[in-house]
Amino acid sequence: ILTSLPIPATEKHPHSMMPPPPCFTVGMVSVRVMINTAEYGNTSWELSVQVDQRDGDEGMRFKLRVKGDLHIGGLMLKLVEKIKAPQDWSDHALWWEQRSCWLLKTHWTLDKYGVQADADLRYTPQHKPLCLQLPNMKTVKLTVSYSAVVFKTVAEICRALNIRRPEELSLLKPPDNLPKKKKMKKDKNPHSHYNMVPELCLLLYLTPPGSPLYSKTMVPTYDPENGTPASATSLWFGDNPLTSSQPNLPPEELAKMYQQLSMVDKAIINAGWLDSSRSLMEQGIGEHDRLQLRFKYHCFFDLNPKYDAVRITQLYEQARWSILLEEINCTEEEMLMFASLQYHICKMTISTEPLDFSNEPEIDEVEAALSNLEVTLGGKTDRILEDITDVPKLADSLKLFRPKRLALRSYKEYWFVFKDTTISYYKNKETASGEPIEQLHLRGCEVVPDVNVTDKKFGIKLLLPVADGMSEVYIRCDNETQYAKWKAACTLASKGKTMAYSSYRSEVKNIQSFLQMKSLAPPPGQSAPDLDAMEMNAECFVSPRYTKRYKPKQVGLTARILEAHQNIASLSLNEAKMRFIHAWQSLAEFGIKYYIVRFRGSKKDELMGISYNRLVRIDMSTGLPVTTWRFANMKQWNVNWEIRQVAIEFDQNVSIAFSCVSCDCKVVHEYIGGYIFLSTRSKDQNETLDEELFHKLTGGQE
C-alpha cells in the first residue's frame, strides 16, 4: 500500500522515535509502506506528563503511549490509572507549559490542540493558594482558581469575602521595578508594605458553578476559624474583620510607606492590571504570588449599608490609603477634612459594638415599590402636575472667567439665567429680556468644584464639550447657598436633567452639608475643642508631607483636626464612611488612571488619563490637560491588533488614535470597555452579571 511521501530525516515528528518503515521507489518518487499496525503501536507515540501533588511536592513524571486522536479526558483517565494513588483528582487539569495554556476542553483531541511528543504537560490542581492584599492593606491567603479567567476568579473572591458588585474590582500586580525612594535605606524585602499590617488567613469556599455571582440574599459561608457553617449575618455584620476599619499606622510606619509619585510613576503602576479575559496562570502568576485586590472602576453602584458592610469598609479603606499616601492630590483644607473623618471613624470603631442587622425584619422589595408608587400617585398628584408644568430657573449675579493664553485670571460680573440645561448670561439684569451674550449648553459637560471654604471662595469649573475637546469656563458665586443651588443645577444638567428632577433639592442639601464639613470653624454656639480630649496622634491622619508642614506647631494640627471634627461629631459610623467616600469622589483627580501613549502623527510620548466619564490628553512635561473627550460623546472604539493601536471616534467627526507605551493596548481597551459595561447597569435588572457582554466590550477581537 502506497501511503505518503517520505518525511525528511532532519524534521522532528512525534513518530520519529519509531523505526522508519521500509521504503522503495516508484519512478522518481520514494514512498513508505506502513508495516503491521500491531507491531508499531498503530502510530502511537510517547508523551511525558508531570503530576503535581497538593502538598507542594515537586511531583513525578509519567510517560504514556498515546495517539493523536485521543481526547484530553481519555488522557487524564489513563494518567490517573497509571498513578494508582488514592486521591481525589477532580480538581486537576492539564497545563501546557510551552504554550502557557490550559487544556480544559476535555472533548478535544491531542491533534486538535496540537500536542505532540515534545509537549511538556503538567497535571496540576486548578485551585492554588494566592496571597492577596485587600484594599485595607491586609494580606489574606485564599485558594483561588488559576484556570478560570480573572473576571470569574475575582467574582469568586468577592463572593467569599461578601463583597457585592465584583465587576468593579480586579487584580493588580505590583511592578517589580518600583520607583526608588530618595534617601531611604535599602529594604531587603521589596514588598515590605505587605507586612505593615497584621496578616489575616481565610479559606475560600467556592459555590457551585451554576449559582449566581451575587445576590441581595446573603450567601451561606463558613467560619474562617473553625470551618463550621456560620449564620447568614454573622460574617456580614457580626465579627467579620473585613467590616471593621483598621487603626491608623504610627507616623513613622506611614512615612516608610509614603512615596511621592509622578504621573509617569503612576502610569507604570497602572500597567499591572491583569487581563480579565485570561487566567492567572496564563499571565505568569504562580502559586503563593502576591497580588492586590482593588476597586479598579471608580463607578460605585447601589451602595447599600444593609448589604454592603464589607464593600463600604473596603472602599473607605482604599480611599483612606489613597489620601494618606497621596495617590490623589488634595488641598490642605481637604486633607484636614479627611483627617477629621478618619479620627471620627477610629473613635466610633473603638466605642461602637459590631453592627447586627439580623433582628431587622425582611422587607419585600416588590411591596415596598408598590407602596411608594401608591403614595406618589395618591398623595402627591398636585405636586407632580406642578413639577411638569412649572420649569424652575435660577437667576443671579455671578462672575465669569474664560482662561486665555498668557492672560491673568480676571473675573467679570454678569447676570446669569439657568433654565432647563442651559446657562445664558447677559451684561446686566436689565438686558435679560434681550439676546444673551452667550449660551452655555451643559448637557455632557464636566462639573468640577473650585472651592475653598476658609477663604470664602465658591467657584464652579465647567468643561464644555466642543469639536476639538473641551472648553473651560469658570463661574464664581458669592456665598455657600448660591453655590449649592448652582452647583446642583450644573451637575444635573450635565446628565441631561433639569431642576424639576426630584433629586435637585437633596443634591443642594448634600452640597451644603459637604461645605459645612469642610469648614474648619466650629458650629455656632460650640466652644473651642479641648486639645487634651484627642487621645490619638494627629499625625496618623494626614500624609507625611502635611505632617512636616505642621511639625513645628504640632498643637496646631491637633487643634485644626478637632475643630473640623466638631462639624461631623454627630455622624454614625456608616454615615462617616459614606461621607468620606463621597468627599473622595468629589476630588478633581478622582478615578483618573494614567498611561503613557503616543498619538498618531505625534513624535513624542504623552499621558492619557482614563476616568469613569472621560479621556484626558495630558502634556507629560507640564502635567497639564491638553484635551478632554467624554464617553458620552463616543460613537465607537476599536483596536488594530496588528499594530497595537487604539482608535476612537467621537461626535462632530472627531477621531483619535494612539499606541500604548507603558503597557499593552489591551489594558487601555479593557478600561474603556469596562466603563461602558458599567454604564449599562440598572437597579431594574437581574443582579446576575452579564459576563458575555463584559468580554464582548473588553476582550476585543484579538
Side-chain angles (χ1 to χ4, degrees):
I1 302 173
L2 307 182
T3 57
S4 64
L5 293 176
I7 300 174
T10 56
E11 182 180 348
K12 291 185 178 180
H13 192 269
H15 307 158
S16 58
M17 71 280 292
M18 299 169 55
C23 176
F24 65 90
T25 302
V26 179
M28 297 297 294
V29 180
S30 293
V31 295
R32 284 189 179 154
V33 177
M34 296 303 296
I35 306 303
N36 189 296
T37 55
E39 184 178 352
Y40 290 101
N42 193 18
T43 69
S44 64
W45 39 276
E46 204 170 58
L47 180 65
S48 176
V49 182
Q50 178 181 324
V51 178
D52 293 342
Q53 303 291 335
R54 280 192 176 278
D55 55 8
D57 293 342
E58 294 183 1
M60 300 177 61
R61 188 169 292 276
F62 292 85
K63 292 185 178 181
L64 303 171
R65 181 160 291 278
V66 298
K67 295 189 298 181
D69 60 356
L70 178 66
H71 54 76
I72 299 299
L75 174 61
M76 292 192 294
L77 181 61
K78 291 185 67 173
L79 184 62
V80 170
E81 289 175 349
K82 189 163 187 176
I83 296 172
K84 297 179 181 178
Q87 179 178 331
D88 182 5
W89 299 97
S90 60
D91 188 48
H92 278 61
L94 289 169
W95 167 257
W96 192 351
E97 201 73 47
Q98 295 102 319
R99 298 278 183 91
S100 293
C101 69
W102 289 92
L103 308 183
L104 298 177
K105 297 179 180 179
T106 54
H107 61 284
W108 276 27
T109 63
L110 296 178
D111 283 343
K112 191 168 184 179
Y113 264 119
V115 176
Q116 297 180 349
D118 59 348
D120 185 12
L121 300 184
R122 284 175 58 194
Y123 192 50
T124 183
Q126 298 177 65
H127 291 80
K128 302 173 185 291
L130 177 71
C131 293
L132 197 65
Q133 189 193 53
L134 302 181
N136 64 357
M137 293 293 189
K138 273 195 171 184
T139 300
V140 298
K141 293 181 179 179
L142 302 177
T143 300
V144 303
S145 173
Y146 276 65
S147 61
V149 295
V150 167
F151 186 82
K152 282 187 176 179
T153 300
V154 171
E156 291 173 353
I157 292 171
C158 290
R159 186 192 298 117
L161 301 179
N162 291 329
I163 299 177
R164 285 200 313 147
R165 306 292 176 184
E167 67 272 18
E168 297 171 356
L169 297 92
S170 191
L171 299 176
L172 179 67
K173 182 180 180 181
D176 297 327
N177 52 342
L178 286 170
K180 293 183 179 179
K181 188 173 179 181
K182 295 180 180 179
K183 298 181 180 179
M184 191 177 80
K185 295 181 179 179
K186 291 183 178 179
D187 193 348
K188 295 181 180 179
N189 182 7
H191 300 289
S192 58
H193 59 279
Y194 281 100
N195 303 318
M196 290 292 183
V197 289
E199 189 175 83
L200 177 70
C201 293
L202 294 177
L203 179 62
L204 176 60
Y205 290 86
L206 300 180
T207 54
S211 62
L213 293 181
Y214 55 79
S215 171
K216 280 191 175 180
T217 56
M218 287 161 273
V219 296
T221 184
Y222 295 83
D223 191 302
E225 293 181 1
N226 54 29
T228 59
S231 65
T233 55
S234 65
L235 284 182
W236 279 73
F237 308 109
D239 299 328
N240 187 351
L242 301 180
T243 62
S244 301
S245 302
Q246 300 303 309
N248 285 48
L249 290 179
E252 301 79 17
E253 299 295 336
L254 186 61
K256 293 178 183 178
M257 298 177 66
Y258 174 74
Q259 200 166 345
Q260 193 166 1
L261 300 175
S262 65
M263 289 183 178
V264 175
D265 296 332
K266 294 176 183 178
I268 296 173
I269 294 174
N270 291 329
W273 289 107
L274 297 189
D275 187 342
S276 296
S277 59
R278 299 167 63 205
S279 68
L280 292 176
M281 288 271 281
E282 289 172 337
Q283 299 180 69
I285 307 301
E287 193 171 332
H288 295 293
D289 279 1
R290 292 181 180 269
L291 295 176
Q292 297 175 353
L293 179 69
R294 294 289 185 269
F295 288 88
K296 176 180 179 180
Y297 299 102
H298 289 58
C299 185
F300 316 121
F301 185 70
D302 189 25
L303 279 174
N304 189 331
K306 183 174 178 61
Y307 305 107
D308 291 323
V310 177
R311 182 179 172 210
I312 290 174
T313 299
Q314 295 303 314
L315 193 53
Y316 158 72
E317 289 289 341
Q318 182 166 329
R320 180 172 74 91
W321 282 107
S322 69
I323 297 294
L324 291 176
L325 300 180
E326 290 193 38
E327 295 173 1
I328 183 171
N329 294 326
C330 62
T331 64
E332 181 177 351
E333 183 181 71
E334 291 165 340
M335 179 66 74
L336 292 171
M337 175 195 65
F338 286 122
S340 65
L341 283 167
Q342 290 179 73
Y343 168 64
H344 183 70
I345 291 170
C346 282
K347 193 175 179 181
M348 293 291 290
T349 302
I350 295 173
S351 60
T352 306
E353 292 296 324
L355 296 175
D356 185 9
F357 294 102
S358 57
N359 296 325
E360 289 193 6
E362 288 296 325
I363 299 175
D364 190 318
E365 297 183 7
V366 176
E367 289 184 6
L370 291 174
S371 177
N372 290 338
L373 181 62
E374 181 181 357
V375 171
T376 303
L377 295 178
K380 298 184 179 180
T381 309
D382 296 337
R383 184 61 194 166
I384 294 172
L385 294 176
E386 180 185 341
D387 287 345
I388 294 174
T389 57
D390 181 34
V391 180
K393 73 175 184 179
L394 291 175
D396 270 315
S397 179
L398 306 174
K399 296 175 181 177
L400 179 137
F401 163 72
R402 275 188 176 278
K404 298 179 181 178
R405 191 180 296 273
L406 303 177
L408 298 175
R409 181 178 290 195
S410 57
Y411 285 87
K412 192 173 181 180
E413 192 166 345
Y414 296 98
W415 182 257
F416 282 74
V417 177
F418 198 131
K419 192 171 184 179
D420 291 332
T421 60
T422 303
I423 293 178
S424 305
Y425 64 92
Y426 307 82
K427 185 175 182 181
N428 49 49
K429 186 176 182 180
E430 288 71 25
T431 61
S433 57
E435 289 293 322
I437 298 174
E438 185 183 9
Q439 283 190 327
L440 308 176
H441 300 283
L442 271 59
R443 183 188 293 268
C445 80
E446 184 179 343
V447 183
V448 182
D450 184 22
V451 177
N452 189 313
V453 179
T454 306
D455 296 338
K456 302 297 181 183
K457 172 188 171 185
F458 304 101
I460 303 171
K461 177 182 176 182
L462 300 176
L463 295 173
L464 305 170
V466 293
D468 58 345
M470 288 288 191
S471 173
E472 291 186 12
V473 175
Y474 291 81
I475 297 176
R476 180 69 60 86
C477 301
D478 293 331
N479 51 59
E480 296 182 14
T481 304
Q482 193 181 63
Y483 169 81
K485 291 180 179 178
W486 283 82
K487 170 68 165 51
C490 290
T491 302
L492 288 177
S494 68
K495 303 173 183 177
K497 300 172 182 177
T498 68
M499 287 177 283
Y501 196 69
S502 58
S503 66
Y504 173 68
R505 292 178 180 83
S506 61
E507 184 73 19
V508 172
K509 289 182 180 178
N510 289 338
I511 294 173
Q512 288 176 331
S513 63
F514 181 65
L515 292 176
Q516 183 184 1
M517 191 169 60
K518 290 183 71 173
S519 175
L520 300 181
Q526 287 196 15
S527 58
D530 181 12
L531 300 182
D532 296 331
M534 188 171 185
E535 300 175 353
M536 305 175 194
N537 190 341
E539 295 182 9
C540 298
F541 304 110
V542 297
S543 71
R545 187 163 61 91
Y546 283 93
T547 300
K548 294 177 182 177
R549 187 176 301 180
Y550 279 94
K551 196 68 176 179
K553 42 181 180 178
Q554 172 63 26
V555 177
L557 178 60
T558 304
R560 298 200 71 181
I561 292 178
L562 290 177
E563 286 173 358
H565 176 256
Q566 288 183 313
N567 295 303
I568 58 166
S570 60
L571 295 179
S572 67
L573 181 59
N574 268 340
E575 288 174 340
K577 289 179 181 178
M578 292 299 293
R579 286 284 186 92
F580 195 101
I581 294 170
H582 291 154
W584 177 49
Q585 290 175 292
S586 70
L587 297 178
E589 295 185 9
F590 167 76
I592 300 180
K593 302 296 182 184
Y594 301 100
Y595 292 96
I596 303 174
V597 301
R598 178 168 294 187
F599 283 87
R600 183 171 55 194
S602 176
K603 295 183 179 180
K604 64 175 183 178
D605 294 341
E606 297 178 74
L607 285 167
M608 171 68 81
I610 304 177
S611 182
Y612 65 97
N613 61 354
R614 67 194 187 278
L615 300 174
V616 187
R617 184 176 183 174
I618 302 170
D619 189 307
M620 189 180 291
S621 58
T622 63
L624 298 176
V626 178
T627 314
T628 303
W629 303 279
R630 290 183 65 87
F631 289 153
N633 302 325
M634 183 189 297
K635 294 172 65 177
Q636 68 173 8
W637 82 101
N638 56 71
V639 179
N640 186 329
W641 296 108
E642 292 183 2
I643 59 176
R644 318 300 287 184
Q645 187 179 77
V646 181
I648 308 175
E649 291 184 19
F650 297 92
D651 292 337
Q652 302 179 2
N653 297 322
V654 176
S655 62
I656 62 173
F658 57 87
S659 57
C660 302
V661 178
S662 61
C663 66
D664 189 271
C665 64
K666 176 66 167 64
V667 179
V668 174
H669 174 66
E670 183 174 316
Y671 241 121
I672 297 173
Y675 275 124
I676 302 299
F677 171 77
L678 296 185
S679 68
T680 64
R681 298 180 297 180
S682 70
K683 292 185 179 180
D684 298 333
Q685 291 176 339
N686 189 349
E687 293 216 1
T688 54
L689 279 175
D690 190 347
E691 185 180 349
E692 183 181 352
L693 177 60
F694 177 84
H695 289 303
K696 185 181 292 185
L697 291 171
T698 61
Q701 303 298 324
E702 192 173 8

